[in-house]
Amino acid sequence: MRHFTLGDFDFALPPELIAQHPAAERSASRLLDGTGSAPVDRTFRDLPSLLQPGDLLVFNDTQVVKARLFGGKPTGGKLELLVERVLAGSEIVAHMKVSKKPVVGTELAMDGGFTATLLGRWPAEDGPLFRFAFSGDPYALMERHGHVPLPPYITHADTAEDAHRYQTVFAKNPGAVAAPTAALHFDQALLDALEARGVRRASVTLHVGAGTFQPVKTDDIAQHRMHSEWYEVPPATRQAIADLRARGGRLVAVGTTTVRTLESWARSGQASGDTDIFITPGFAFREVDVLVTNFHLPKSTLLMLVSAFTGYEHMMLLYRHAIETRYRFFSYGDAMLLARQP
């Protein structure tokens, strides 16, 4: 098998193709059908006709929280927290952007009138994240005073449109700091059309972390260490997948986070827990047959995942076509439909 390096996953993307705002309607996005040998241009509303009665669509039902918070140190210096995870009680884990790190025990005055007390680093004394105690319920404080944690390549400050559109229509389990973006294209009309087609639905939860945007810094991709994210495959979904296999249907994952959840469960046997699974070419998929996904960043772990799924050469062909035909890229961009390579 070919040995891949980081440079194999690089490509030139015109900046104007990075979508800064969502399409006017969720299901009006373009859909690049990559399930055959040659790419076919479609719209997302065509999806029901591309699936088969008895297929099972699996979504990630995580809910994006307003995880970006601003405040100040007692010395007057400004800081920004990006909440990565809510722990027990009022404790949270966050990325901290500040000119000089405060010492453990410092009480920070956060915008909105609450406080965050620094307890230490996480998950260990030399960990990359920081653990804080909030002066109230973290979810309530984030909802009231936080900002939508838009990806770094979206240049505008968050708006009411982002609060609505950087969230799936079926989000229900709060905890993500980035949206499962392939699912942003689904609206109720499309879900109804899929049901009428005989396509069934199930859900998993993976709370997407900010590490999803973490760049790969090693040329040898095998040296990269993935961030950890919490996932759950509920009993109803495990049963739906067992029923699917019994009738011979296809499992259609909506988004790379759903893929990581299902393949983590398949390998570990654990229906919930933390996963740092890193999927690169050569990976043997056990659960997912078809994938709905957006277009990903150059050199990203997500581009490596989709290349592993549908084949590297085919993936590069699809990306070249997408750039030539002016598809919109990344979180607010268009989507593609992929079949697992034999």
Side-chain angles (χ1 to χ4, degrees):
M1 161 142 184
R2 173 178 172 180
H3 177 74
F4 289 93
T5 65
L6 184 59
D8 290 318
F9 299 94
D10 196 12
F11 62 92
L13 180 68
E16 66 271 17
L17 296 187
I18 300 174
Q20 295 296 318
H21 297 274
E25 298 177 49
R26 290 179 185 266
S27 58
S29 299
R30 298 171 72 189
L31 176 66
L32 178 54
D33 181 358
T35 55
S37 58
V40 180
D41 300 312
R42 304 183 185 275
T43 66
F44 205 82
R45 290 194 184 103
D46 295 332
L47 183 63
S49 68
L50 303 174
L51 301 182
Q52 301 166 4
D55 283 348
L56 179 68
L57 266 178
V58 183
F59 296 93
N60 181 3
D61 65 8
T62 188
Q63 183 181 98
V64 179
V65 295
K66 294 181 179 178
R68 181 164 281 121
L69 300 162
F70 297 93
K73 297 185 294 183
T75 57
K78 299 297 183 183
L79 60 85
E80 175 186 331
L81 300 183
L82 180 61
V83 178
E84 178 79 13
R85 187 177 297 203
V86 175
L87 304 176
S90 63
E91 292 188 11
I92 61 96
V93 171
H95 304 262
M96 178 166 50
K97 186 184 295 185
V98 65
S99 58
K100 184 179 179 181
K101 299 290 190 296
V103 299
V104 172
T106 301
E107 185 177 276
L108 307 172
M110 304 302 294
D111 292 1
F114 68 102
T115 61
T117 303
L118 178 59
L119 303 177
R121 288 184 177 266
W122 191 89
E125 288 185 7
D126 60 347
L129 302 178
F130 296 85
R131 188 165 58 95
F132 292 89
F134 281 179
S135 57
D137 175 68
Y139 288 113
L141 291 172
M142 285 189 286
E143 180 59 31
R144 193 174 305 126
H145 306 298
H147 295 264
V148 180
L150 293 174
Y153 46 75
I154 291 179
T155 56
H156 64 264
D158 63 311
T159 65
E161 178 191 50
D162 297 308
H164 173 59
R165 293 296 301 275
Y166 196 64
Q167 192 81 270
T168 67
V169 297
F170 38 73
K172 69 174 185 177
N173 291 313
V177 300
T181 56
L184 296 178
H185 304 285
F186 290 82
D187 53 26
Q188 192 57 52
L190 184 61
L191 294 172
D192 292 343
L194 288 161
E195 184 176 358
R197 173 75 169 159
V199 177
R200 305 183 189 190
R201 286 172 54 190
S203 62
V204 297
T205 304
L206 182 139
H207 291 324
V208 192
T212 192
F213 304 112
Q214 177 184 336
V216 179
K217 298 179 179 178
T218 58
D219 191 56
D220 180 0
I221 61 175
Q223 299 300 313
H224 179 69
R225 292 293 170 262
M226 287 288 286
H227 57 289
S228 180
E229 295 166 316
W230 183 88
Y231 75 92
E232 180 179 23
V233 184
T237 298
R238 302 200 298 271
Q239 184 61 52
I241 293 172
D243 294 344
L244 172 76
R245 298 308 179 200
R247 67 176 180 267
R250 301 180 304 170
L251 193 156
V252 184
V254 179
T256 56
T257 60
T258 298
V259 174
R260 296 183 70 238
T261 300
L262 294 172
E263 297 298 335
S264 296
W265 165 56
R267 269 153 186 71
S268 68
Q270 301 297 313
S272 67
D274 278 51
T275 181
D276 59 359
I277 191 170
F278 185 21
I279 298 176
T280 59
F283 183 89
F285 291 86
R286 300 185 187 180
E287 293 294 338
V288 181
D289 303 303
V290 179
L291 172 60
V292 180
T293 185
N294 277 23
F295 295 93
H296 305 295
L297 277 72
K299 299 183 178 181
S300 65
T301 59
L302 302 181
L303 180 54
M304 296 171 194
L305 183 155
V306 294
S307 298
F309 185 77
T310 202
Y312 173 79
E313 297 297 341
H314 186 54
M315 193 77 263
M316 293 301 108
L317 167 70
L318 295 176
Y319 268 64
R320 286 193 296 272
H321 176 83
I323 292 169
E324 290 168 1
T325 53
R326 313 293 289 177
Y327 275 73
R328 288 155 39 90
F329 274 66
F330 307 159
S331 294
Y332 276 152
D334 297 314
M336 66 173 89
L337 182 69
L338 304 174
R340 187 176 71 191
Q341 64 179 341

